[in-house]
Amino acid sequence: MKDNRSVNRILAILELISKNPDGLTLGEIYRELDMPKATAYDFLQTLYKADAIYYKDPFRKTYVIGSKMYAIGSVYTKNSNFITTSAPLLKQFSDEYGCNAFATKRINGDKIVFVHVYQSPQSQIVSHVEVGLIYNSFSDNFVGECYAAFDKKIEGVVRIDESKKKDILNKGYVCELGGELNHVMNIAIPVYNFENRVVGVVAVSRLHTSMEDTQALAKQFKEVGKQISRRLGYLGDIL
């Protein structure tokens, strides 16, 4: 079936606006998307009237995502088995170990979106990650490396160093130091569903203390991944 060009353009506009929380003007949008000005204007006005976008700055007329898109996203959150299954287990783990927790999904083949974020009151770090944040690369972040190592659907498409991939597969998780001072330890693990495929990646971040602590934390976090996968109907073996 042939793609509908207008729908694709509207989705491109919404995706672009979602990546710019300070808002974008009409000129910035049609130039970035290489779209006729009149076409972009018509789409923006339609979206504006539907409350899908609104003016963050009425004087500059900068567009940001509106209440309609939030409502639609909320319905997805409620209906997603992955989110509803993982959220309480991530919260329980984070509160016990003083972590920030995240759940992500792969979209459009080559992007990663954060669909759930939780910061424990016991956490000693602040993670500047919000629901809806999109990563456009698999190679420059620990979550993307986890997908690249475990997700069979992108095997051969996303490049990852073979020795690094082997190490990740052997451990069953990805760990990476982050933060301006490399003071944050990030751990990511895959989650599988009843079709025996990677349905998402969950991750935690915590103040780094030692590699011994990291290995112990990762071992416990892998158990959380197993619980989520089992509840989603996965019957295979997880390292």
Side-chain angles (χ1 to χ4, degrees):
M1 184 174 66
K2 186 177 180 181
D3 288 346
N4 187 296
R5 190 180 185 190
S6 294
V7 172
N8 287 337
R9 283 180 161 181
I10 289 174
L11 291 174
I13 288 173
L14 289 171
E15 184 174 358
L16 178 64
I17 292 175
S18 71
K19 296 177 183 176
N20 293 270
D22 291 330
L24 293 173
T25 64
L26 167 63
E28 290 170 328
I29 291 169
Y30 80 76
R31 283 192 292 270
E32 177 69 23
L33 297 177
D34 193 22
M35 187 182 298
K37 182 178 180 180
T39 301
Y41 177 80
D42 288 343
F43 286 148
L44 288 168
Q45 287 303 299
T46 300
L47 292 168
Y48 180 81
K49 291 176 182 177
D51 290 327
I53 57 176
Y54 72 97
Y55 294 131
K56 183 170 186 178
D57 185 337
F59 298 101
R60 292 184 60 232
K61 292 189 175 181
T62 50
Y63 295 95
V64 293
I65 293 297
S67 59
K68 178 63 69 64
M69 300 310 297
Y70 177 79
I72 293 172
S74 297
V75 172
Y76 167 75
T77 299
K78 291 178 181 178
N79 291 337
S80 171
N81 287 339
F82 172 62
I83 298 174
T84 56
T85 300
S86 61
L89 293 172
L90 291 175
K91 179 181 184 300
Q92 181 180 350
F93 183 87
S94 297
D95 287 342
E96 181 176 354
Y97 292 98
C99 302
N100 298 336
F102 319 95
T104 72
K105 290 185 72 70
R106 182 170 56 82
I107 58 172
N108 299 332
D110 61 350
K111 294 180 176 63
I112 301 165
V113 61
F114 285 75
V115 296
H116 176 73
V117 175
Y118 176 74
Q119 178 156 330
S120 169
Q122 286 76 41
S123 175
Q124 295 177 293
I125 61 171
V126 176
S127 296
H128 301 288
V129 175
E130 297 179 348
V131 171
L133 175 67
I134 293 176
Y135 284 170
N136 293 301
S137 172
F138 289 88
S139 60
D140 59 1
N141 61 86
F142 70 104
V143 174
E145 287 185 348
C146 192
Y147 278 105
F150 293 99
D151 193 341
K152 299 296 183 182
K153 283 201 169 184
I154 57 175
E155 192 173 32
V157 178
V158 177
R159 301 293 182 183
I160 183 172
D161 181 79
E162 284 301 319
S163 61
K164 190 171 191 177
K165 179 178 179 179
K166 184 177 180 180
D167 180 58
I168 292 172
L169 292 174
N170 286 336
K171 292 188 299 185
Y173 63 89
V174 174
C175 66
E176 174 188 272
L177 282 173
E180 294 181 0
L181 303 174
N182 281 338
H183 65 296
V184 177
M185 177 54 71
N186 303 301
I187 301 171
I189 57 175
V191 171
Y192 299 85
N193 69 357
F194 64 95
E195 297 176 314
N196 293 351
R197 67 179 179 86
V198 174
V199 70
V201 166
V202 292
V204 288
S205 297
R206 192 177 75 165
L207 189 67
H208 176 56
T209 51
S210 68
M211 288 309 300
E212 290 77 11
D213 286 346
T214 296
Q215 291 169 359
L217 184 69
K219 182 178 180 181
Q220 294 300 320
F221 191 45
K222 284 172 63 178
E223 293 302 315
V224 174
K226 290 180 182 180
Q227 291 182 58
I228 297 173
S229 297
R230 296 293 185 227
R231 292 184 184 186
L232 292 175
Y234 181 67
L235 299 177
D237 295 326
I238 304 175
L239 292 176

